[in-house]
Amino acid sequence: MSTLGSPPVQLLQLDELEQAVGSPLGFDLSTPKLGAPLSSARAALESVILEALRHEPCVISFSGGRDSSAVLCVAMSLAERHGLAPPIPVTLRFPDAPASDETVWQERIIDELRCPEWIRITPDGSLAGAIAQRVLGRHGVLFPVNAFLHDPILEVAAGGSLLSGIGGDELLDSSADRISVVSRSPRSFRRTDIRTIGDEILPGRRRRLGERFVAGLSWLTPEARAAAADRAGEALGRLSHRWNTALGQWTADRYFQAVTSTIVALGADHAVSVRTPFLDPRVLAAVASEAGPTGFTSRAAALDELVGDVMPAWLRERTSKAVFDEALVGRQFVQIAAKWNGGGINHDLVDAARLRAEWESGTPDGRSFLLMHQLIVNGSLAV
């Protein structure tokens, strides 16, 4: 076994406004820019995955979606090519959350790749369950809010490595905005672009972006809504219209930094080296160089380019996606919310009555979930 370790990362702490909004806001402008690519995107992807495969046991957080499946496909191919032990896919299942069920896709992929081992776990996925409380007790409020669900997977990987498809949504689904596309390919102009491009170039763009960001955050006070809109609009307004430039800016986003630092910190709890290929700067630099200013035309096209030789076409072209909010909420969620007395929050930022109404709505907005974790951490909820 090698002695590979995850690079030291300081856990990013969200401030009170970010916790109220449910997301990090803004950029750390001191973050170094992406360097020049050192290899092709595929070679960079393989390099990151090989680092994990050489540190056994190598576990893959495998949901059956396209991102984790892409990592699994490449890892299985590399393990065979280099004579390494195959990775161990580990899957979380939530029987009480039908929308999260990926069983058919999972079994088809596992069979096609002939994975010799596959571990399935049925954890308590509740936001206020035993796993969440254990992780919150160690680290406090974390982003993303469902990060605690990595804990049972990391237990399987103890002393080894973890590969995750986190970041695939942002990297592989991204494409340039219409300004960039149309400016480089005038024939692609559509009538709907008149409004879209006008909205981007007319005065007040940052204000509009900020207002869109806070739409639906019903529990915020007017003052918090205005502050969040200002911060979000300022950050979003900085992003380049060129896709590859915007991708380089992404590493300075507090969202990016929170996600990467959180999973590394959770891995350290179990002496696990964590590798997230779709968030690795080496992969980002190479993809930015190859995809250029207009990015990928679709996620399927991105997967064709990156892993088309090892990932089946039926999987690359899949369009459905599992939803896990049911697993996070569960029956316990409403019961706990009903017991809350309205304390433990910053009332300058959060309207307690509106937050309770959101939680009791039956389909609460996931951006409100960080506030429940805040209340658990500061002891304001009886769980």
Side-chain angles (χ1 to χ4, degrees), residues 64-374:
R66 285 183 289 180
D67 302 334
S68 63
S69 297
V71 174
L72 179 59
C73 289
V74 175
M76 287 293 291
S77 174
L78 287 171
E80 181 177 4
R81 193 194 316 166
H82 291 270
L84 299 170
I88 304 169
V90 177
T91 299
L92 302 183
R93 287 187 168 171
F94 306 97
D96 295 331
S100 71
D101 185 14
E102 299 263 48
T103 302
V104 172
W105 291 98
Q106 293 162 358
E107 292 178 347
R108 187 175 179 184
I109 298 162
I110 293 294
D111 288 345
E112 180 147 338
L113 295 178
R114 299 180 181 178
C115 296
E117 186 174 4
W118 179 26
I119 297 175
R120 282 141 286 185
I121 302 172
T122 304
D124 177 0
S126 170
L127 285 163
I131 298 173
Q133 292 185 57
R134 182 170 69 240
V135 173
L136 292 172
R138 291 199 297 260
H139 296 286
V141 178
L142 294 172
F143 183 87
V145 72
N146 61 354
F148 67 91
L149 288 173
H150 279 89
D151 207 54
I153 301 175
L154 289 162
E155 288 178 348
V156 176
S161 62
L162 173 73
L163 281 166
S164 170
I166 289 175
D169 281 342
E170 292 81 2
L171 178 63
L172 303 179
D173 258 352
S174 297
S175 60
D177 59 36
R178 294 301 298 166
I179 292 178
S180 182
V181 172
V182 171
S183 66
R184 286 160 181 78
S185 180
R187 291 182 180 180
S188 69
F189 184 83
R190 303 186 299 241
R191 289 184 63 186
T192 54
D193 288 332
I194 296 174
R195 180 175 180 178
T196 300
I197 295 176
D199 197 39
E200 289 294 309
I201 64 176
L202 291 174
R205 175 173 179 262
R206 294 189 177 188
R207 174 183 54 78
R208 289 190 297 274
L209 291 171
E211 289 174 350
R212 289 174 193 162
F213 180 86
V214 299
L217 301 177
S218 61
W219 57 91
L220 295 183
T221 64
E223 294 77 15
R225 178 180 296 274
D230 284 346
R231 281 177 61 174
E234 174 68 20
L236 294 170
R238 288 179 178 273
L239 291 175
S240 172
H241 293 299
R242 298 169 62 91
W243 184 81
N244 51 354
T245 303
L247 184 61
Q249 293 172 314
W250 185 37
T251 57
D253 193 323
R254 283 176 57 80
Y255 182 105
F256 178 97
Q257 295 176 350
V259 170
T260 52
S261 67
T262 291
I263 192 169
V264 169
L266 293 179
D269 292 340
H270 302 279
V272 172
S273 168
V274 176
R275 292 293 181 267
T276 51
F278 296 131
L279 295 175
D280 192 284
R282 293 166 290 181
V283 175
L284 296 180
V287 170
S289 176
E290 292 181 12
T294 57
F296 300 112
T297 56
S298 67
R299 179 177 285 207
L303 290 170
D304 286 344
E305 182 74 21
L306 289 175
V307 296
D309 60 319
V310 294
M311 188 175 184
W314 56 264
L315 180 54
R316 299 196 307 271
E317 295 166 4
R318 179 186 173 186
T319 57
S320 59
K321 187 175 178 64
V323 179
F324 292 89
D325 280 4
E326 282 181 299
L328 294 173
V329 175
R331 290 185 295 270
Q332 189 182 25
F333 184 92
V334 175
Q335 296 172 354
I336 292 173
K339 297 177 182 178
W340 177 46
N341 64 8
I345 58 173
N346 184 336
H347 292 277
D348 291 333
L349 302 176
V350 178
D351 183 312
R354 287 182 176 273
L355 179 59
R356 187 194 305 280
E358 183 68 37
W359 284 347
E360 294 177 345
S361 68
T363 55
D365 189 314
R367 293 173 294 178
S368 70
F369 295 166
L370 277 183
L371 285 167
M372 179 166 281
H373 277 179
Q374 181 192 85

